[in-house]
């Protein structure tokens, strides 16, 4: 297996802890351990008395029980907990794909959703979202991309980096097409529960499709990436077993304290979600006003869900723009090349409390003339 560098993670390794404002962050505002423990009277004692031995490889039964509560048809035995969503993506690809297989991936994309398959020697086709249609996906394109040796389709709903949320008819069509062709549907749902219009929330793919694998995580909607707890949920026992075999070569089991904190957080997740959705709504209003003021410089499709969006710089090179911005102001935006995009887009984040402050800096950066006027 030969993996290319994960561009977004290398970019964050360089900047994330050295800049003042990560204005392209995809996670929502986080919480302290104290805040999580305060959600439940027994939680602190439970943590303090926790034995730090190895944990069950599939994930603590009580945590799997809490995770199963997010789905309508999934039992705790149909959950496999991982160290973040990232480990689960890797384990899924290694467990289910082999060199020569073909997969279809929703694009632009979070790189690992395509890269791990490529590293395994698979052929990857991109199912391209159309900015002109509000970053929509056309199921007819999916149908056209299917080959005799296609093994899986990978979607990301709600979508990073565009904030697109599939309408229900398209979602149903994706299930119909993948089932007709006997394909596994890997559905990255790490931004689920962050819909701006809650009635538009889609069911988890694993609840409506026996061949779907849903991916979830504590990192985004709940704002707890430091726990490194993610999971897959599926009715396919063969996929669960094959992924468990791969996990034995990765982290083996999860961090015991992280499992307890994740369980407490999930039991009270409405409290966490309510605060984070509030921040998102306020930041969406700030970004919307910003783009209205600067419609001559940027084009943007407002997100329908999630904590990110993907505007386009109308003039100039977006890499140079992001570079100059971070050097001059300490505000970080992520150029589209990090998501396999060549359309002069950049990713913005909506989940952090400091978005209004960072936007002021961005605004003053835009006011500075790029070069002195010539006489
Ligand atoms: C679409 C998507 N999937 C998976 C992940 C990985 O999540 P984690 O970092 O919590 O493992 C991310 C993180 O940005 C993501 O945006």
């Amino acid at each position: 297996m030969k993996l290319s560098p994960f561009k977004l993670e290398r970019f964050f390794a360089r900047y994330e802890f050295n800049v003042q404002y990560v204005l392209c962050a995809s996670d929502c505002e986080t919480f302290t351990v104290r805040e999580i423990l305060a959600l439940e009277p027994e939680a602190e004692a439970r943590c303090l008395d926790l034995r730090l031995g190895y944990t069950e490889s599939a994930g603590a039964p009580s945590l799997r029980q809490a995770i199963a509560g997010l789905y309508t048809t999934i039992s705790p035995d149909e959950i496999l907990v991982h160290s973040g969503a990232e480990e689960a993506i890797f384990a899924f690809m290694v467990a289910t794909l082999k060199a020569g297989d073909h997969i279809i991936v929703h694009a632009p994309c979070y790189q690992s959703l395509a890269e791990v398959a490529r590293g395994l020697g698979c052929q990857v086709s991109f199912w391209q979202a159309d900015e002109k249609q509000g970053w929509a996906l056309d199921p007819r394109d999916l149908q056209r991309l299917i080959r005799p040796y296609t093994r899986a389709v990978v979607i990301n709903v709600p979508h990073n980096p565009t904030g697109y949320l599939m309408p229900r008819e398209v979602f149903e069509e994706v299930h119909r097409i993948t089932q007709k062709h006997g394909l596994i549907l890997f559905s990255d749902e790490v931004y689920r529960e962050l819909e701006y219009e809650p009635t538009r929330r889609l069911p988890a793919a694993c609840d409506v499709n026996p061949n779907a694998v849903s991916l979830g995580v504590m990192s985004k909607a709940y704002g707890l990436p430091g726990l490194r707890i993610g999971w897959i949920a599926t009715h396919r026992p063969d996929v669960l077993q094959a992924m468990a075999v791969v996990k034995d070569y990765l982290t083996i089991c999860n961090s015991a304290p992280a499992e307890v904190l994740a369980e407490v957080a999930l039991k009270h997740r409405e409290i966490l979600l309510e605060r984070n959705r509030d921040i998102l709504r306020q930041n969406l209003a700030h970004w919307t006003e910003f783009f209205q003021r600067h419609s001559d410089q940027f084009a943007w499709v407002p997100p329908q869900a999630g904590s990110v969006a993907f505007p386009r710089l109308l003039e100039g090179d977006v890499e140079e723009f992001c570079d100059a911005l971070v050097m001059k102001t300490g505000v970080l935006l992520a150029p589209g090349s990090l998501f396999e995009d060549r359309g002069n887009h950049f990713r913005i984040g909506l989940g952090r409390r400091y978005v209004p402050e960072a936007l002021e800096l961005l605004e003053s950066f835009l006011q500075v003339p790029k070069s002195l006027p010539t006489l």
Side-chain angles (χ1 to χ4, degrees):
M1 184 173 189
K2 182 98 183 72
L3 286 174
S4 297
F6 197 144
K7 288 178 271 188
L8 180 67
E9 296 306 333
R10 288 296 93 213
F11 177 80
F12 276 138
R14 179 167 170 211
Y15 289 116
E16 189 175 3
F17 295 98
N18 302 317
V19 299
Q20 206 176 353
Y21 297 107
V22 183
L23 194 52
C24 53
S26 62
D27 47 348
C28 287
E29 187 76 28
T30 195
F31 295 86
T32 62
V33 173
R34 192 186 299 278
E35 286 171 312
I36 299 301
L37 292 179
L39 292 170
E40 201 167 282
E42 299 81 33
E44 184 175 338
R46 197 175 153 200
C47 260
L48 291 175
D49 294 332
L50 184 69
R51 292 172 62 84
L52 295 174
Y54 283 107
T55 61
E56 268 191 50
S57 179
S62 54
L63 172 60
R64 281 186 283 132
Q65 181 86 46
I67 294 171
L70 302 173
Y71 304 97
T72 55
T73 65
I74 291 285
S75 71
D77 291 344
E78 293 172 313
I79 306 280
L80 183 58
V81 183
H82 288 83
S83 289
E86 194 52 50
E87 185 187 46
I89 293 170
F90 189 89
F92 169 78
M93 303 272 172
V94 172
T96 59
L97 302 174
K98 59 178 185 326
D101 284 346
H102 172 242
I103 70 160
I104 300 168
V105 182
H106 183 171
C109 70
Y110 182 67
Q111 192 182 339
S112 60
L113 294 173
E115 201 66 61
V116 181
R118 242 191 231 131
L120 287 163
C122 299
Q123 291 175 36
V124 177
S125 298
F126 287 114
W127 183 17
Q128 189 61 46
D130 184 353
E131 184 191 10
K132 289 193 229 59
Q133 305 297 326
W135 291 113
L137 291 170
D138 186 338
R140 287 169 302 185
D141 293 339
L142 173 62
Q143 184 70 59
R144 272 194 290 272
L145 290 169
I146 294 172
R147 302 178 191 168
Y149 47 98
T150 305
R151 177 112 176 91
V153 172
V154 177
I155 54 171
N156 175 207
V157 194
H159 186 236
N160 170 17
T162 65
Y164 169 70
L165 178 63
M166 248 176 220
R168 196 169 275 254
E169 320 79 77
V170 176
F171 181 71
E172 283 166 6
E173 188 62 3
V174 172
H175 290 290
R176 201 191 59 72
I177 294 171
T178 51
Q179 286 192 272
K180 184 173 121 203
H181 291 270
L183 307 176
I184 300 180
L185 180 68
F186 186 79
S187 177
D188 181 331
E189 298 165 2
V190 302
Y191 297 94
R192 196 158 170 263
E193 297 192 296
L194 293 179
E195 298 75 11
Y196 290 94
E197 181 52 68
T199 55
R200 285 203 50 203
R201 179 169 314 146
L202 294 168
C206 62
D207 278 329
V208 296
N209 177 347
N211 283 323
V213 177
S214 288
L215 177 70
V217 83
M218 296 306 296
S219 308
K220 309 297 180 184
Y222 314 118
L224 299 170
L227 292 182
R228 307 311 301 132
I229 294 285
W231 59 85
I232 56 122
T234 180
H235 289 301
R236 290 269 305 246
D238 56 331
V239 173
L240 285 161
Q241 278 156 24
M243 288 182 68
V245 168
V246 177
K247 188 183 168 187
D248 288 343
Y249 285 99
L250 299 171
T251 54
I252 301 177
C253 67
N254 307 295
S255 146
E259 287 197 330
V260 173
L261 290 168
E263 183 186 325
V264 173
L266 279 178
K267 283 188 191 153
H268 303 275
R269 73 182 208 285
E270 282 307 329
I271 297 174
L272 312 187
L273 285 170
E274 211 171 296
R275 195 216 55 187
N276 283 343
R277 287 190 201 121
D278 216 42
I279 294 175
L280 286 179
R281 269 191 295 270
Q282 290 175 30
N283 285 338
L284 179 59
H286 288 301
W287 275 115
T288 304
E289 285 163 18
F290 171 86
F291 286 119
Q292 276 164 359
R293 283 196 297 279
H294 297 281
S295 56
D296 55 331
Q297 281 158 298
F298 305 101
W300 100 303
V301 176
Q304 296 151 336
S307 42
V308 291
F310 210 42
R312 178 160 45 89
L313 180 69
L314 294 176
E315 268 179 37
D317 177 76
V318 77
E319 305 266 345
E320 286 170 19
F321 172 76
C322 295
D323 268 358
L325 177 70
V326 73
M327 297 306 286
K328 294 210 169 108
T329 65
V331 171
L332 189 66
L333 292 174
S337 57
L338 302 174
F339 307 90
E340 314 253 356
D341 172 85
R342 301 277 170 267
N344 228 32
H345 300 95
F346 55 99
R347 187 177 80 180
I348 62 168
L350 294 91
R352 298 283 175 90
R353 271 208 178 104
Y354 57 50
V355 164
E357 280 162 60
L359 266 178
E360 273 180 32
L361 285 175
L362 172 56
E363 192 107 42
S364 51
F365 172 79
L366 294 174
Q367 250 104 68
V368 175
K370 296 288 158 294
S371 56
L372 291 172
T374 42
L375 293 173

